[in-house]
Amino acid sequence: MKNIGFLLAFIIFCDKKWTTASPGDGLRTWERFKKLSYPGDEAFLYDTFPENFMWSVGTAAYQIEGAHDKDGKGLSIWDTFNRGGARIVKGDVGSDSYHNIPGDIRALELLGVTHYRFSISWPRIFPNGSVSSYNEKGANYYRKLINRLREIKVQPVVTIYHWDLPDNLQSRYGGWGNPVLVDLFKEYAEFCFKTYGDDVKYWITIDNPFVIAWYGYGTGKAAPGIKNDLDLPYRVGHNLLKAHAAAWHMYDTHYRARQGGKVSMALASHWVKPSRNRPESRWACQCSLDFVLGWFAHPLFVDGDYPPCMKQELSDVLPLFTETERLDVSGTADFFALSHGPSISFQLDSSFLFGQQKDLDLRMLMYWIHHEYNKPPIFVVESGWFVPTTTKTKDATYITYLKRFIMDTLKSIRYDSVTVIGYTAWSLVDGFEWYWEYAIRRGLYYVDFNTPDLRREPKTSARFYSKLIEKNGFPLLPEHQPVQGVFPCNFAWGVAANSIEIETTPTQFADPSVYTWNVSGNGELQRLEGVQAPPLRRVRHCVDYASIRQQVSDVRRLHVSHFHFALNWSSVTPTGRAEEANATLLAYYHCFVSELSRANVTPVVTLWHHTVERSSVPPSLEGGWRSKGTVQAFADYARLCYRWLGAHVKMWITLAEPNAESLGFTVGHHLLLAHAMAWRVYDREFRPLHGGKVSLVLHMDWVEPAVSFSREDVEPAARVLAFSVGWFAEPIFGSGDYPELMRNWLQYRNSMDLFNYRLPTFSEEERRLVRGTYDFFAISHFTTLTVMGSPENKYTFHEMLEVQFMYDATWIKAPNASVVPFGLRKSLNWIHSHYKDVPIYIMANGVKEDPSHFKDNLRVYYLYSYINEALKAYILDGVNLQGYFAYGLNDLLDPGFGMYGYVQDEVIEKASLSHYRNIIDHHGFPAPDSPSPQCPLQAAESCRGCHLLAKHSVVGFLSLVGSALVLTMGLTLYYATRK
């Protein structure tokens, strides 16, 4: 683009000049969406589309018809373009729709669409471009297609020109660069109106004039392949606008009254977001859209002239409209025909972005159009994405994008009050994809180009779109609605942290300095230099540790009943030998759990937590978990902890999240044995005395089939769960051996003579040791993954499991994962169905958010949504859920996950803390008219006997009076003695 570099600098640095411009109302879009509620606005919307919403699918003649030289058809510029230069792939056959109308009609019937957008090939009807070269066979092909559409009650949406200009017009006149084409196009359009108009209610005169002008006559990427003429693209665009206006007026004058149709021009656009939150960035975004979409939309929908930013910078190359032409062009669109997808978004030259960020947000684009162009009805006439040519019928990636764009459309209607009248998925069948040739596929139907009849087969996206049309959107079902109800009084409400802050030297009496009180000054204490108090000879008490007091106080403010944290094995026994333990650290841990108990908070203690950074196996244990000797060392370590802390700890976790794939099967085997031995130690030696419970925590994110209705994706999802959760769960909670699915799958993989995946075998003794070593089933759960069984992306394809991990663009994105509340309920039901009635604890559930966000709305949404799904599992599904622990406590120990934040040394309660406390105080989500359960309060250990005083009020009163008398007598005697 001429002077585009200068324009970019002009936009960014010349603020003063922009303040004098007259922006469109679309400029408000970026600020408006920045202020929407987060993350609620991004949550999936369960709702339906308006009645009579138009569900369409589209194609273009050159992409699918084939028969490039059959029955009198003339050459198009694409026929010539694909025979020039180094291009060897042609669209001569496409999908051969010219010979397969019945196949396309069957595909449309199965989809259940109400409309079908297709284009008429200009050189098929008029081989040399003029009406004098009329080809009746070509005209009859479209008549036959329209008649068949009428039979199946599908309305045609007809594009008169979709890029395939008769080659004769290009070679003879220079194509769209010559104004003579305006009248030639008008004659061609009039023929279409006259011949087919009685059955067509929606007309598209020209598709995507930006691609025609810029890529066809500017960069040469598209037919006719002309480049290096800086002025030509703008002359072409000028003629395209005038040709459209001529056709519109022809229809309006001679055909509208009788045929009752509507005419527009299909305009394509990208979307762009400000790279910085500054006014000049938003101006740059506005100009970016004006240079692509506004180039044609502004003349049609505003004033018959080009956008101000184009006129300001391109005055030397941009053609001028006469006053008559302006009046002629302005208002020549009965609806806004919007094309959205890879034709623009994927290939747009970076110069058109003006330094801003390209995005695929269809919703924001439609809002911008709504306000920029005086609220026109919008018909999305092209939308969708693409998959590699190697993808056959399982196109989960395409479904993800299709669902995202349709969701954007629904939110535009319901949330933004934008008038959207229809949506068109692109395209019906695979075909020739312009400058991508056959390298990508965009069809809902797979076409096997290697078969003589180019057989069509519905993809999973076709089934998805068909079901969506049948339901008219995403209707709200009972399982999508929040449930009202409460958890029982003995439900364990907790908070989890990976570790706690350690302070082995009490700070309470650590300062030996002497201070004086500056009474006459500011009242602050002043330290006396060189003077120290004599050392204190006192026994340490647990209350001496300021860090313990602070952490216990932080926990209590949440109103939780339980606090879950992990010990550090390598710090407790640095040598790996229990007899050489760090007694000072153990004493600190003892103080910590005892103070929690005094505060009426039940400690839940993990002996070993597998984390990438802090997997604390004593370094002296050679080989770590790869060595079987570590198993016995862990059992000795567990015994040591039970002995030191067991009086106050009634819930123990031997291993937290040991089921990490990166550890491998041998390490996993040893971890299972270590857990079992630690559990047996407690069961034999400590349970009779302490009466606690012991289990392990398994990391369990849910795994959802990428295509929920595809049985082919259900099996890969079950496979992932077997390898991630069943790997540890089945030996302990089930048969005492690894899941049969694991063994069978690895046997299958090894039989291919390419792999050697070895899953250890339990001896009979080991099986008896491991099986049944649990008191409850505990999980940590954070997100949901989607999988499918066929490869699409080598970077996210799991080779051993032969599963493709996918990304669902409609889910709320967090810094660490997607927010998918229903996955928790499904996880709980998976456990319930596999291990009936086992008590279940959610030991860690949380989301990462920017630590600077003290108003952490994402975490608030997360807590309410996930806890409500847990309540559904408890109330509706009969899951034996015993407790829920939010993760984590503070950002100091669990960065980004905490409900406490920090500004320098000041501790800040985030918004999520009060919301979680509110849920706890109400025991869940009681109905508005129902009373909260009156649960008995447990007395803290620091007030032994308080229950007696509370129960017998007279005794309490007399005790109070007696205490006052004793205190008064004591003071009287003291002062009498001093006198």
Side-chain angles (χ1 to χ4, degrees):
M1 181 184 293
K2 188 174 182 180
N3 297 327
I4 203 71
F6 172 78
L7 178 59
L8 176 57
F10 169 82
I11 291 172
I12 295 177
F13 296 111
C14 298
D15 298 351
K16 185 175 181 180
K17 185 170 183 178
W18 277 116
T19 59
T20 63
S22 300
D25 288 342
L27 189 63
R28 72 179 71 171
T29 303
W30 295 278
E31 278 297 303
R32 187 258 185 181
F33 276 83
K34 193 173 71 171
K35 294 176 181 177
L36 294 179
S37 64
Y38 175 80
D41 184 71
E42 294 188 12
F44 197 90
L45 173 60
Y46 291 100
D47 204 343
T48 54
F49 284 83
E51 190 177 355
N52 299 322
F53 188 80
M54 296 184 288
W55 292 106
S56 180
V57 66
T59 59
Y62 184 76
Q63 292 185 280
I64 69 162
E65 282 182 5
H68 79 289
D69 58 355
K70 296 291 177 26
D71 294 339
K73 176 186 174 294
L75 290 176
S76 75
I77 55 174
W78 276 93
D79 290 320
T80 304
F81 179 69
N82 285 328
R83 284 165 171 75
R87 297 174 67 89
I88 58 174
V89 178
K90 300 179 287 293
D92 293 356
V93 178
S95 313
D96 200 28
S97 287
Y98 185 79
H99 296 115
N100 198 4
I101 287 180
D104 289 347
I105 293 296
R106 282 195 301 271
L108 291 166
E109 281 188 292
L110 290 173
L111 284 178
V113 293
T114 60
H115 291 70
Y116 174 46
R117 181 190 172 194
F118 64 91
S119 75
I120 295 174
S121 173
W122 190 346
R124 190 175 296 283
I125 296 180
F126 302 117
N128 71 9
S130 67
V131 294
S132 61
S133 62
Y134 174 65
N135 175 26
E136 186 175 1
K137 288 186 178 179
N140 287 341
Y141 165 73
Y142 298 107
R143 167 50 58 199
K144 180 179 179 182
L145 173 60
I146 290 172
N147 288 340
R148 292 299 309 275
L149 290 174
R150 188 172 55 200
E151 290 173 7
I152 63 171
K153 295 180 172 56
V154 171
Q155 293 189 42
V157 179
V158 178
T159 304
I160 297 174
Y161 177 71
H162 201 131
W163 307 359
D164 51 348
L165 185 73
D167 188 63
N168 179 62
L169 300 184
Q170 181 63 42
S171 59
R172 184 176 179 182
Y173 299 112
W176 285 107
N178 193 324
V180 72
L181 260 71
V182 173
D183 287 332
L184 289 171
F185 179 77
K186 178 182 176 182
E187 293 174 353
Y188 163 51
E190 182 177 17
F191 171 85
C192 295
F193 297 147
K194 183 187 302 181
T195 306
Y196 309 117
D198 289 340
D199 298 309
V200 178
K201 302 307 176 186
Y202 285 92
W203 290 97
I204 305 293
T205 57
I206 298 169
D207 179 84
N208 205 336
F210 176 86
V211 168
I212 299 169
W214 189 256
Y215 291 118
Y217 292 86
T219 67
K221 291 182 179 179
I226 298 173
K227 53 187 174 182
N228 299 325
D229 186 336
L230 298 178
D231 299 348
L232 182 58
Y234 303 103
R235 296 202 308 273
V236 168
H238 203 69
N239 290 331
L240 288 167
L241 280 165
K242 291 197 292 184
H244 158 78
W248 187 92
H249 284 291
M250 168 62 67
Y251 188 85
D252 191 56
T253 302
H254 299 288
Y255 298 97
R256 189 188 301 276
R258 178 168 58 85
Q259 296 178 355
K262 297 180 180 181
V263 182
S264 191
M265 186 187 217
L267 306 180
S269 184
H270 62 308
W271 181 247
V272 62
K273 290 185 176 181
S275 58
R276 301 175 67 185
N277 187 25
R278 299 177 62 178
E280 57 266 31
S281 291
R282 292 190 288 276
W283 279 110
C285 290
Q286 183 84 358
C287 204
S288 173
L289 293 171
D290 275 343
F291 263 74
V292 178
L293 180 59
W295 182 358
F296 300 94
H298 196 278
L300 296 180
F301 291 92
V302 181
D303 59 4
D305 205 352
Y306 297 112
C309 66
M310 288 188 75
K311 292 172 67 176
Q312 285 175 353
E313 186 55 29
L314 301 175
S315 58
D316 54 339
V317 295
L318 204 60
L320 297 176
F321 286 107
T322 65
E323 185 61 28
T324 301
E325 288 173 338
R326 285 184 56 195
L327 294 173
D328 199 45
V329 170
S330 179
T332 56
D334 301 320
F335 57 95
F336 200 111
L338 176 62
S339 176
H340 178 263
S343 295
I344 291 291
S345 299
F346 186 61
Q347 284 290 102
L348 189 66
D349 296 340
S350 60
S351 59
F352 283 100
L353 300 178
F354 301 106
Q356 308 310 304
Q357 299 174 356
K358 183 168 58 176
D359 194 80
L360 288 175
D361 202 314
L362 176 59
R363 178 185 171 191
M364 291 183 72
L365 174 60
M366 289 196 287
Y367 185 88
W368 186 86
I369 291 169
H370 180 72
H371 287 279
E372 186 75 9
Y373 301 120
N374 196 27
K375 304 178 181 179
I378 299 173
F379 188 175
V380 181
V381 294
E382 177 182 345
S383 180
W385 206 239
F386 62 91
V387 293
T389 190
T390 53
T391 300
K392 295 190 177 180
T393 58
K394 298 193 65 175
D395 56 343
T397 297
Y398 183 93
I399 292 176
T400 293
Y401 281 96
L402 185 64
K403 183 165 65 169
R404 171 184 173 175
F405 297 145
I406 294 174
M407 178 56 59
D408 277 352
T409 305
L410 181 60
K411 288 182 177 180
S412 289
I413 297 170
R414 299 305 183 195
Y415 289 169
D416 308 330
S417 300
V418 175
T419 304
V420 187
I421 60 175
Y423 180 89
T424 305
W426 199 273
S427 65
L428 176 64
V429 294
D430 292 333
F432 181 82
E433 289 299 336
W434 309 111
Y435 33 83
W436 290 294
E437 300 173 347
Y438 293 102
I440 64 171
R441 293 177 180 268
R442 297 189 64 193
L444 296 173
Y445 280 77
Y446 172 77
V447 176
D448 189 343
F449 297 109
N450 296 318
T451 57
D453 58 349
L454 276 68
R455 185 174 62 251
R456 288 139 166 75
E457 186 177 351
K459 301 180 186 179
T460 49
S461 58
R463 295 168 60 192
F464 167 80
Y465 194 47
S466 174
K467 288 292 183 184
L468 189 144
I469 294 171
E470 180 184 324
K471 297 176 181 178
N472 198 33
F474 309 96
L476 180 66
L477 301 176
E479 58 263 32
H480 302 147
Q481 302 182 57
V483 69
Q484 293 181 334
V486 295
F487 292 98
C489 288
N490 62 348
F491 191 77
W493 290 103
V495 63
N498 277 334
S499 60
I500 60 173
E501 187 179 348
I502 303 297
E503 177 198 20
T504 54
T505 302
T507 56
Q508 178 80 356
F509 300 98
D511 187 1
S513 301
V514 177
Y515 296 85
T516 62
W517 186 13
N518 182 15
V519 180
S520 62
N522 56 14
E524 293 183 352
L525 295 176
Q526 295 180 339
R527 188 164 63 89
L528 295 178
E529 298 293 338
V531 181
Q532 289 191 340
L536 291 174
R537 306 296 183 188
R538 65 184 295 277
V539 178
R540 289 183 181 178
H541 299 284
C542 290
V543 292
D544 296 345
Y545 293 95
S547 63
I548 292 179
R549 294 199 308 274
Q550 181 63 51
Q551 290 177 90
V552 172
S553 174
D554 289 346
V555 171
R556 287 194 66 189
R557 281 203 292 274
L558 272 79
H559 295 183
V560 294
S561 59
H562 292 64
F563 178 58
H564 176 206
F565 69 97
L567 307 179
N568 189 308
W569 182 10
S570 62
S571 297
V572 172
T573 59
T575 65
R577 296 168 59 86
E579 58 270 25
E580 297 173 357
N582 183 339
T584 302
L585 181 58
L586 281 168
Y588 180 85
Y589 281 137
H590 178 270
C591 278
F592 190 87
V593 297
S594 66
E595 288 302 299
L596 280 174
S597 297
R598 278 168 50 83
N600 215 20
V601 176
T602 300
V604 182
V605 177
T606 289
L607 298 176
W608 183 79
H609 186 186
H610 172 67
T611 58
V612 176
E613 295 92 1
R614 295 170 287 183
S615 296
S616 58
V617 176
S620 57
L621 296 176
E622 294 186 10
W625 285 114
R626 293 182 183 83
S627 170
K628 204 166 185 177
T630 304
V631 173
Q632 183 59 54
F634 181 77
D636 295 339
Y637 160 64
R639 181 182 287 108
L640 174 73
C641 296
Y642 298 152
R643 185 182 303 122
W644 271 83
L645 312 178
H648 297 288
V649 179
K650 304 306 177 186
M651 284 188 72
W652 289 95
I653 303 298
T654 57
L655 309 171
E657 302 182 313
N659 53 325
E661 180 190 353
S662 59
L663 292 176
F665 296 137
T666 300
V667 168
H669 197 75
H670 292 162
L671 286 166
L672 279 164
L673 298 177
H675 157 77
M677 290 183 68
W679 190 92
R680 299 289 180 190
V681 166
Y682 189 88
D683 193 52
R684 290 193 307 266
E685 303 175 24
F686 297 93
R687 193 188 300 274
L689 177 63
H690 297 150
K693 297 183 288 188
V694 184
S695 195
L696 80 171
V697 174
L698 299 180
H699 181 92
M700 186 180 186
D701 288 336
W702 182 245
V703 183
E704 185 78 358
V707 182
S708 58
F709 52 82
S710 171
R711 295 183 62 183
E712 296 177 7
D713 287 350
V714 172
E715 197 279 328
R719 189 185 314 146
V720 174
L721 286 170
F723 273 81
S724 60
V725 183
W727 176 22
F728 274 73
E730 188 60 22
I732 296 171
F733 300 89
S735 64
D737 197 0
Y738 296 113
E740 185 178 357
L741 193 158
M742 280 186 77
R743 290 204 181 277
N744 291 342
W745 181 258
L746 293 178
Q747 184 178 3
Y748 153 73
R749 295 292 284 159
N750 291 335
S751 67
M752 300 172 68
D753 296 328
L754 297 174
F755 307 99
N756 186 23
Y757 301 116
R758 181 180 175 274
L759 190 62
T761 302
F762 287 102
S763 67
E764 190 56 39
E765 181 183 356
E766 289 175 337
R767 187 190 295 259
R768 288 195 301 269
L769 172 70
V770 172
R771 187 179 185 186
T773 55
Y774 69 92
D775 295 308
F776 52 89
F777 198 120
I779 63 168
S780 62
H781 174 92
F782 298 95
T783 189
T784 292
L785 311 171
T786 59
V787 297
M788 62 181 289
S790 55
E792 273 199 3
N793 184 336
K794 64 180 181 180
Y795 299 107
T796 54
F797 184 74
H798 195 292
E799 192 69 35
M800 181 187 73
L801 297 180
E802 291 187 359
V803 296
Q804 178 73 63
F805 286 95
M806 303 291 295
Y807 160 83
D808 193 316
T810 62
W811 290 346
I812 297 172
K813 295 298 171 292
N816 62 316
S818 298
V819 178
V820 194
F822 70 75
L824 177 58
R825 182 182 179 186
K826 292 191 174 185
S827 296
L828 295 172
N829 274 283
W830 186 94
I831 299 168
H832 180 65
S833 65
H834 281 72
Y835 310 107
K836 194 69 174 175
D837 292 331
V838 63
I840 304 173
Y841 288 84
I842 302 164
M843 297 303 297
N845 179 237
V847 66
K848 190 172 186 179
E849 192 168 3
D850 188 334
S852 66
H853 292 173
F854 298 135
K855 190 177 179 181
D856 50 345
N857 294 334
L858 176 61
R859 184 171 294 107
V860 171
Y861 175 87
Y862 186 98
L863 288 170
Y864 275 102
S865 301
Y866 276 77
I867 294 173
N868 197 265
E869 290 297 317
L871 185 62
K872 291 178 187 178
Y874 174 74
I875 292 178
L876 303 179
D877 308 330
V879 173
N880 187 11
L881 185 61
Q882 300 281 310
Y884 173 91
F885 289 67
Y887 173 75
L889 180 61
N890 62 56
D891 285 334
L892 185 65
L893 299 171
D894 301 297
F897 285 90
M899 287 183 277
Y900 287 99
Y902 296 88
V903 175
Q904 296 178 344
D905 294 331
E906 183 182 359
V907 180
I908 306 292
E909 288 189 11
K910 299 183 183 180
S912 57
L913 189 148
S914 61
H915 284 276
Y916 184 41
R917 183 168 57 208
N918 180 65
I919 294 173
I920 295 171
D921 290 345
H922 289 86
H923 305 279
F925 308 93
D929 55 347
S930 65
S932 297
Q934 300 301 311
C935 297
L937 297 175
Q938 289 183 299
E941 290 185 15
S942 56
C943 187
R944 301 179 187 275
C946 287
H947 65 284
L948 180 65
L949 301 181
K951 188 173 182 181
H952 303 284
S953 56
V954 175
V955 174
F957 174 75
L958 292 176
S959 299
L960 180 63
V961 173
S963 300
L965 288 173
V966 171
L967 180 61
T968 303
M969 291 175 62
L971 290 172
T972 303
L973 290 172
Y974 171 75
Y975 284 109
T977 303
R978 292 190 63 180
K979 290 179 180 179

